[in-house]
Amino acid sequence: MLVLGIETSCDETAAAVVRDGREIVSSIISSQIDLHKAYGGVVPELASREHLDKIVPVIEEALERASVELEELDGIAVTAGPGLVGSLLVGVSYAKAMAFALSKPLVGVNHIEGHIYSVVFDNPPVEYPALALVVSGGHTNLFLVPEPGKYRVVSRTRDDAAGEAFDKVAKMLGLGYPGGPVIERLAREGDSRAVRFAVPRMGDGRPDFSFSGLKTAVSKHIRESGLVPVAAGAQPAQEVKDLAASFQSVVVRSLVGTMERLAEEHRPATLIVAGGVACNGALREASREAAVRLGIPVYFPSPHLSTDNAAMIAAAGTVKLMAGERAGLDLNADVTLRLQNIEVEDEALRRSRVRYRL
Ligand code: KG4
Ligand code: ZN
């Protein structure tokens, strides 16, 4: 089964051809990082215009590299949400037009579900139930996945996503965008015990995340210690490296500590760590250590599949297509599309879900 995946939810225009949901035949990613760098973050209006420019050449290249003719495709899978509305609409409209013109089956894929499916490549088959930590620029959640396609949110961030915290701290330190990779690089030369930040904990005891207080603590530390942000092209001072290491260490402890606590409670057969922040070496190492303690295998996507790509969308879409799911031409972009299809009995969790939408 050959499926074309299309992903345009944020600042990457991506297309991929995937065979039988597990083999990447081609994967093309056109990143807009350079376009948004000057603004220190993604500018939605610029992103959607760039997607419009790139969608045709990116899809053509994916088909060409795969040596696949349009007629050979068995289906089209497109990210329908969550994400930026103008960006999502480019992919969704294009996918619908292709499906209509070629009379091919179409499915909409939740971007977060796509991230979870990014581990089907380069890993042994996932055993269920799985516990999946999805940690990116827009999301920080733990999902209990009892079987493929069934999700229950067991932890969420109450404010910023972890990747967003990396990006904001990097901006405060004059390190540019995106922040994750540069903070990780500097942290390798820093002392993670130099600045003591507390692991954020919820007053109500729930296993949720919060990163905005940490961001404020970093900003306060910068102000009080008189640390000067790194000027363009300058070498970062040791204090900056120490701060990067201390910040990264507390984020990793928060993520892995919560994952471990929930793994002890739910005893999954597999741990999954996915999303852009899953590129982070310190997070991988701490997750591996936790997995050894728990006696459960942990799967990560290859680094190039951790950040946004269309292969993961095609993989998730293949499972849906094989289950007979079809989207109509009324498929629409859904900015706040949620990934939870298991009813939650827990009243406190239900209330917090209303307040903190996925
Ligand atoms: O999954 P992704 O490409 O886009 C979203 O769906 O958000 O994730 C991008 C995020 C950014 O916030 C970026 O700073 C973070 O992933 N990131 C990292 C690393 N590489 C990317 N965070 C920490 N360490 C990294 N090495
Ligand atoms: Zn993503």
Side-chain angles (χ1 to χ4, degrees):
M1 186 171 197
L2 276 179
V3 173
L4 173 70
I6 300 174
E7 154 66 39
T8 63
S9 69
C10 188
D11 60 342
E12 259 99 27
T13 317
V17 177
V18 168
R19 179 174 287 121
D20 300 331
R22 285 189 64 86
E23 185 200 332
I24 299 176
V25 191
S26 69
S27 174
I28 306 297
I29 303 170
S30 168
S31 170
Q32 304 179 2
I33 284 181
D34 289 339
L35 180 71
H36 300 287
K37 235 179 193 150
Y39 306 94
V42 177
V43 183
E45 181 64 16
L46 291 180
S48 43
R49 277 196 232 169
E50 186 71 6
H51 284 306
L52 273 178
D53 273 357
K54 293 288 155 59
I55 187 97
V56 174
V58 164
I59 291 177
E60 278 177 354
E61 195 178 341
L63 293 168
E64 206 171 290
R65 291 257 186 107
S67 304
V68 163
E69 299 294 328
L70 285 170
E71 297 71 43
E72 292 175 69
L73 292 173
D74 296 300
I76 298 167
V78 62
T79 305
L84 301 169
V85 68
S87 294
L88 287 165
L89 276 171
V90 176
V92 169
S93 313
Y94 200 86
K96 285 200 289 190
M98 271 185 98
F100 177 69
L102 300 164
S103 301
K104 297 285 181 190
L106 173 72
V107 279
V109 172
N110 183 307
H111 180 79
I112 305 170
E113 185 172 23
H115 273 300
I116 294 174
Y117 271 89
S118 65
V119 302
V120 302
F121 309 107
D122 318 311
N123 282 301
V126 172
E127 286 201 26
Y128 295 89
L131 180 67
L133 173 65
V134 182
V135 62
S136 70
H139 315 281
T140 303
N141 286 102
L142 274 151
F143 295 93
L144 194 62
V145 194
E147 57 184 271
K150 290 254 183 291
Y151 302 95
R152 178 184 159 187
V153 178
V154 286
S155 172
R156 61 180 51 70
T157 178
R158 297 202 180 177
D159 38 59
D160 295 351
E164 195 180 349
F166 270 94
D167 295 336
K168 286 180 177 168
V169 166
K171 197 170 178 180
M172 284 182 224
L173 291 170
L175 300 172
Y177 173 86
V182 56
I183 291 207
E184 176 175 13
R185 189 163 44 76
L186 296 182
R188 275 192 223 117
E189 295 165 23
D191 175 4
S192 63
R193 287 153 308 171
V195 190
R196 297 229 166 247
F197 294 119
V199 174
R201 298 209 193 284
M202 299 306 111
D204 59 10
R206 297 210 67 83
D208 285 346
F209 301 109
S210 166
F211 296 106
S212 84
L214 176 61
K215 183 186 67 192
T216 310
V218 171
S219 148
K220 189 160 166 267
H221 174 83
I222 294 175
R223 222 176 31 249
E224 288 175 359
S225 64
L227 199 128
V228 183
V230 183
Q235 275 300 321
Q238 188 56 42
E239 288 72 26
V240 172
K241 295 176 182 172
D242 290 346
L243 183 56
S246 304
F247 162 77
Q248 176 177 278
S249 153
V250 71
V251 172
V252 167
R253 272 184 284 140
S254 167
L255 293 172
V256 177
T258 304
M259 179 168 72
E260 196 166 355
R261 172 178 161 188
L262 287 166
E264 274 161 1
E265 189 179 329
H266 298 287
R267 298 308 305 174
T270 313
L271 296 174
I272 293 171
V273 180
V277 183
C279 289
N280 188 281
L283 175 62
R284 286 184 180 228
E285 199 183 314
S287 303
R288 276 196 202 98
E289 287 166 8
V292 169
R293 281 194 294 275
L294 291 158
I296 304 171
V298 59
Y299 297 157
F300 308 95
S302 306
H304 68 283
L305 293 173
S306 297
T307 47
D308 292 348
N309 66 86
M312 67 186 195
I313 303 302
T318 302
V319 176
K320 290 177 187 293
L321 286 164
M322 284 172 74
E325 196 178 316
R326 300 287 183 268
L329 293 177
D330 56 351
L331 177 69
N332 205 351
D334 184 345
V335 174
T336 56
L337 187 63
R338 303 226 335 254
L339 185 61
Q340 170 151 284
N341 46 25
I342 297 178
E343 268 321 304
V344 182
E345 306 294 331
D346 186 323
E347 175 63 14
L349 189 58
R350 195 181 63 74
R351 263 189 283 117
S352 67
R353 194 182 64 199
V354 173
R355 279 183 58 201
Y356 308 104
R357 296 199 66 186
L358 243 186

